[in-house]
Amino acid sequence: MINQQLLHPESIVVVGGSNNTQKPGGAVVRNLISGGYQGTLRIVNPKEDEVQGIKVCHNVSELPQTDLAILVIAAKYCPDTVDLLAKDKGVKAFIILSAGFGEETHEGALLEERILQTCREHGAALIGPNCIGLMNAWHHSVFTKPIPRLNPKGADFISGSGATAVFILESAVMKGLQFNSVWSIGNGKQIGIEDVLEYMDEHFDAERDSQVKLLYIENIANPDKLLLHASSLIRKGCRIAAIKAGSSESGSRAASSHTGAIASSDSAVEALFRKAGIVRCFSREELTTVGCIFTLPRVKGKNCAIVTHAGGPGVMLTDALSKGGLNIPQLKGELADELKGQLFAGSSTANPIDILATGTPEHLGLAIDYCDKKFSDIDAIMVIFGTPGLFPLWDAYEVLHQKIQTCSKPIFPVLPCLNTAGPEVAEFLAKGHVNFSDEVTLGTALTRVMQTPPPAAETMEKTDVDVARIRQIIDGVNSNGYIAPKEVNALLSAAGIPTVPELTASDKQTLIDFANKVGYPVVAKVVGPVHKSDVGGVTLNINTPEQLAVEYDRMMQIADATGVMVQKMIKGTELFIGAKYEPRFGHVVLCGLGGIFVEVLKDVSSGLAPLSYDEAYSMIRSLRGYKIIKGTRGQQGLNEDKYADIIVRLSILLRHATEIKEMDINPLLADKDNVVAVDARIRIEK
């Protein structure tokens, strides 16, 4: 629970506060004082009489009633201290900076549980333990630096790791990113990242509150709560970016050893973020760069202009934006010639607009004005302006400052010279601006923002999926494991997923009669072994009854064979759909091109069931191989609409059959007219 005693305490006690500012107990007192805390600050220290100018209580029993307690004492003393403060001193909020709890030992976890129970009994909020604290405009209850500039419209930052929070703040401060609040939740015993988002969502005021949220996550304890409140905040106008660390097997192990986090698969995280509309980042620099982008006006189109006085960075930024699907359109014609005539000889206005190293602040302003007012198809302006060492940059950055305030299009300043033009950059940031010192990092981050879809619809798509029939089939299965092809086909049929004509039997003549009916060529597949191809259990292009008879006899000799499936052989491009049930997340649906694309290149996209049509299209279009689906180099495209429809239908099937733990349809065969399931397997656990 988050309460006013945590957010706006009238009184704070630091238990373990000291004069040694090189230790957490002294540093948190220093930060509270230097941060201008206006309430009553109290200190408990048995060995000191005065701490940083404040008279000290030697024991917590000497304290008067207090709102918030910050504990900087050994873990073994914390439970009794919390108990006394909550019962006798009316403390309704605790921030426990101390480590040595559940993140380290079982005994530490028991101490943590005692503290949680006390807080529950007395209706007290608990941040931590094992955190750096909480910082907002009212109180700086952290023991670390840097202390960023605080602004009600700055970013809200929530981190599951204290040290990482410090490093992210370091990165942000260098860029000029301001903050409204910083939350280090540590072990998150009571208040986790999802709980902070819940509070921000339920108390959101668009006029008063920050609309930028940055997250560093090691454990998604409650995916449903994260999805609900992140997507709700984004619908209200907020923008959210997050790092989810521990996505690799080794990273998950490292995260678990760090915080006791429960590992979740990377595809599940990707699917959750996509559904919520969260921009996923993979580094501190990327997260803070995206945070800076969020503070600027939204880019409404894909066309970018680059104004630079250095050719190379302009080229690199062009490459980064282009790779992410943004456009750097060539500027030509009368307006481009008119601008070029007002710049120094040798300048280029083709885009990037290169005003040369000798270009003046007036030239910079002129180029920005043309991009803003005259080049109508430009949606955003990137300005790269460092120092060639010829003149100071005060005037140039003042021009940039004025243009950012008046320009109708977003301007992204790339000021790379933090050493030789340090004072000028610092003054620019002091005026409330951000700086993207590396053009490629900016280009990559901006494309990540532009590619993130909005939150998915909250209601399930209306289709003719036969839910009653799906439940009948699932309920009729009596054992766990991979179900029979007949049941697989029945489930796909109930979901309205097209399948190729097929028959499974253990009688040779029955299969030959079926093949004669549907027409040759046909495909034969052994039934029983899970990995048919690995045991020689698939034969294509069977053209005669005699050939089918031979293949039937051969396949029935394969170990574990219980029958043979015969299908009408059709042609098309191979597509893939798969799904896996992830504990706490639900079903993660994967899609991609089949064959080498999924097996070797791992070119797959993920979504969290149930999926909307918008989500399905977003998944398809985010594939690296999407050009093949769309049609490229004279090749006809595939039926994207039917592929999306199958993805949606499969996700609804899974939503109503949670017993399905793993399935894939591989391949789907697609052409311009149809997408048909050729082979599928489904594993259930009841």
Side-chain angles (χ1 to χ4, degrees):
M1 59 173 293
I2 296 173
N3 55 28
Q4 282 304 301
Q5 290 90 339
L6 178 65
L7 298 176
H8 199 280
E10 294 299 329
S11 53
I12 298 176
V13 59
V14 180
V15 182
S18 73
N19 285 306
N20 187 349
T21 58
Q22 295 184 356
K23 291 186 176 180
V28 69
V29 174
R30 174 201 64 204
N31 288 345
L32 282 163
I33 294 171
S34 62
Y37 174 60
Q38 297 297 304
T40 301
L41 182 58
R42 303 180 175 116
I43 312 293
V44 173
N45 187 314
K47 299 179 181 179
E48 303 275 2
D49 295 323
E50 185 177 285
V51 166
Q52 299 182 47
I54 299 171
K55 188 177 178 180
V56 168
C57 295
H58 293 140
N59 192 289
V60 290
S61 61
E62 302 171 15
L63 288 167
Q65 296 284 298
T66 305
D67 284 346
L68 167 65
I70 303 170
L71 273 57
V72 203
I73 54 178
K76 61 183 179 180
Y77 300 122
C78 287
D80 289 340
T81 302
V82 169
D83 189 63
L84 189 154
L85 289 170
K87 285 181 179 178
D88 300 341
K89 304 302 176 182
V91 173
K92 291 294 184 182
F94 293 90
I95 298 174
I96 301 181
L97 306 181
S98 316
F101 291 91
E103 79 282 0
E104 290 190 8
T105 64
H106 174 67
E107 291 74 18
L110 296 177
L111 296 177
E112 203 169 41
E113 190 62 32
R114 279 185 57 197
I115 293 169
L116 178 62
Q117 289 302 323
T118 300
C119 289
R120 284 175 176 167
E121 288 172 15
H122 296 276
L126 171 63
I127 294 287
N130 184 32
C131 66
I132 65 168
L134 167 65
M135 173 169 37
N136 60 25
W138 180 244
H139 65 108
H140 297 180
S141 295
V142 295
F143 68 87
T144 54
K145 289 185 176 181
I147 303 295
R149 289 180 65 188
L150 294 177
N151 181 331
K153 294 298 183 179
D156 290 313
F157 172 41
I158 315 165
S159 176
S161 165
T164 306
V166 172
F167 300 153
I168 288 172
L169 289 174
E170 289 276 5
S171 172
V173 167
M174 294 296 292
K175 295 177 176 67
L177 182 60
Q178 299 178 29
F179 289 82
N180 175 53
S181 67
V182 175
W183 300 68
S184 165
I185 56 102
N187 292 359
K189 191 63 181 177
Q190 184 201 71
I191 298 172
I193 289 174
E194 298 94 333
D195 302 294
V196 180
L197 283 177
E198 178 182 36
Y199 183 88
M200 291 177 176
D201 179 27
E202 293 179 348
H203 296 81
F204 183 72
D205 183 330
E207 296 298 320
R208 183 193 66 208
D209 294 340
S210 167
Q211 296 187 357
V212 176
K213 319 292 180 188
L214 304 179
L215 316 175
Y216 173 80
I217 307 171
E218 288 182 349
N219 172 35
I220 301 178
N222 192 329
D224 285 343
K225 182 182 279 191
L226 179 64
L227 172 62
L228 173 65
H229 295 293
S231 57
S232 175
L233 281 164
I234 293 170
R235 289 189 188 97
K236 292 172 180 176
C238 292
R239 310 178 81 181
I240 302 179
I243 296 172
K244 169 58 178 79
S247 57
S248 66
E249 183 178 348
S250 298
S252 295
R253 185 182 67 249
S256 296
S257 64
H258 179 206
T259 63
I262 302 171
S264 51
S265 78
D266 192 58
S267 59
V269 173
E270 188 74 29
L272 177 66
F273 283 14
R274 178 190 295 276
K275 199 172 195 69
I278 297 171
V279 178
R280 188 175 187 188
C281 301
F282 294 88
S283 72
R284 302 192 307 269
E285 284 299 305
E286 198 171 71
L287 182 69
T288 54
T289 300
V290 169
C292 290
I293 291 170
F294 283 169
T295 67
L296 301 177
R298 294 178 188 249
V299 179
K300 297 179 179 178
K302 291 189 173 184
N303 292 338
C304 303
I306 300 172
V307 179
T308 180
H309 68 169
V315 174
M316 289 189 284
L317 179 53
T318 299
D319 287 342
L321 294 170
S322 298
K323 287 176 183 176
L326 299 181
N327 306 321
I328 298 80
Q330 185 177 2
L331 302 174
K332 55 186 178 180
E334 286 185 17
L335 287 175
D337 293 340
E338 180 181 290
L339 172 60
K340 187 171 183 178
Q342 299 177 68
L343 302 175
F344 286 146
S347 298
S348 170
T349 56
N351 200 16
I353 300 170
D354 188 350
I355 64 174
L356 304 179
T358 52
T360 66
E362 291 74 19
H363 292 151
L364 174 62
L366 189 66
I368 294 173
D369 283 343
Y370 267 75
C371 293
D372 181 32
K373 299 181 176 68
K374 298 191 176 185
F375 296 134
S376 59
D377 60 342
I378 294 300
D379 302 301
I381 307 165
M382 284 71 184
V383 176
I384 304 173
F385 210 96
T387 175
L390 300 175
F391 47 81
L393 295 181
W394 306 105
D395 292 343
Y397 288 175
E398 177 60 24
V399 167
L400 186 55
H401 164 66
Q402 296 296 334
K403 296 302 179 187
I404 289 174
Q405 291 184 309
T406 60
C407 188
S408 64
K409 299 171 183 177
I411 295 177
F412 296 81
V414 181
L415 316 180
C417 298
L418 304 182
N419 181 21
T420 52
E424 294 99 316
V425 173
E427 183 182 271
F428 179 79
L429 298 183
K431 293 175 180 177
H433 301 300
V434 294
N435 172 35
F436 307 92
S437 60
D438 182 82
E439 61 279 350
V440 174
T441 304
L442 167 61
T444 303
L446 181 59
T447 59
R448 207 175 286 286
V449 171
M450 299 293 286
Q451 290 170 353
T452 300
E458 296 180 273
T459 56
M460 197 180 301
E461 295 283 1
K462 293 182 178 179
T463 64
D464 57 356
V465 171
D466 190 342
V467 175
R469 176 61 178 147
I470 289 169
R471 288 308 319 165
Q472 183 184 38
I473 297 165
I474 292 292
D475 293 339
V477 176
N478 296 318
S479 60
N480 292 337
Y482 286 97
I483 62 177
K486 181 179 179 181
E487 293 161 334
V488 172
N489 205 49
L491 283 171
L492 296 181
S493 177
I497 297 173
T499 56
V500 66
E502 68 177 43
L503 179 68
T504 299
S506 56
D507 176 74
K508 185 192 310 182
Q509 189 58 49
T510 300
L511 292 172
I512 291 172
D513 291 343
F514 172 77
N516 290 336
K517 178 181 176 182
V518 299
Y520 291 94
V522 296
V523 179
K525 302 177 183 179
V526 69
V527 176
V530 174
H531 300 289
K532 303 175 181 64
S533 297
D534 295 347
V535 295
V538 178
T539 302
L540 308 177
N541 287 309
I542 298 174
N543 289 296
T544 65
E546 292 77 17
Q547 186 182 359
L548 177 56
V550 170
E551 290 300 328
Y552 174 87
D553 291 338
R554 182 184 67 80
M555 289 183 183
M556 291 302 291
Q557 300 302 312
I558 295 174
D560 300 323
T562 60
V564 173
M565 175 196 294
V566 172
Q567 293 176 322
K568 173 68 177 175
M569 186 165 177
I570 60 174
K571 295 182 179 180
T573 300
E574 290 190 3
L575 301 175
F576 160 82
I577 298 179
K580 184 180 180 184
Y581 185 84
E582 287 283 344
R584 297 177 296 128
F585 285 79
H587 283 103
V588 178
V589 179
L590 305 171
C591 77
L593 291 162
I596 190 173
F597 287 93
V598 64
E599 294 172 6
V600 179
L601 302 180
K602 309 297 183 186
D603 182 18
V604 294
S605 173
S606 59
L608 206 58
L611 294 162
S612 66
Y613 282 100
D614 286 343
E615 287 179 277
Y617 283 114
S618 175
M619 289 168 63
I620 294 168
R621 291 167 187 173
S622 68
L623 295 168
R624 296 195 302 274
Y626 174 63
K627 287 183 179 179
I628 295 174
I629 296 174
K630 189 177 181 181
T632 185
R633 294 194 174 186
Q635 296 293 317
Q636 210 161 31
L638 310 180
N639 195 316
E640 185 178 347
D641 293 336
K642 289 192 175 179
Y643 189 24
D645 186 59
I646 291 173
I647 293 171
V648 170
R649 288 174 177 276
L650 177 67
S651 77
I652 296 172
L653 161 65
L654 294 166
R655 191 66 169 181
H656 292 287
T658 55
E659 297 90 341
I660 295 176
K661 302 306 178 188
E662 187 178 348
M663 75 169 292
D664 62 62
I665 306 174
N666 188 18
L668 290 157
L669 286 181
D671 57 24
K672 67 181 180 64
D673 298 315
N674 295 299
V675 181
V676 179
V678 174
D679 197 7
R681 57 178 183 163
I682 296 176
R683 181 175 66 83
I684 70 168
E685 289 180 15
K686 291 195 170 183

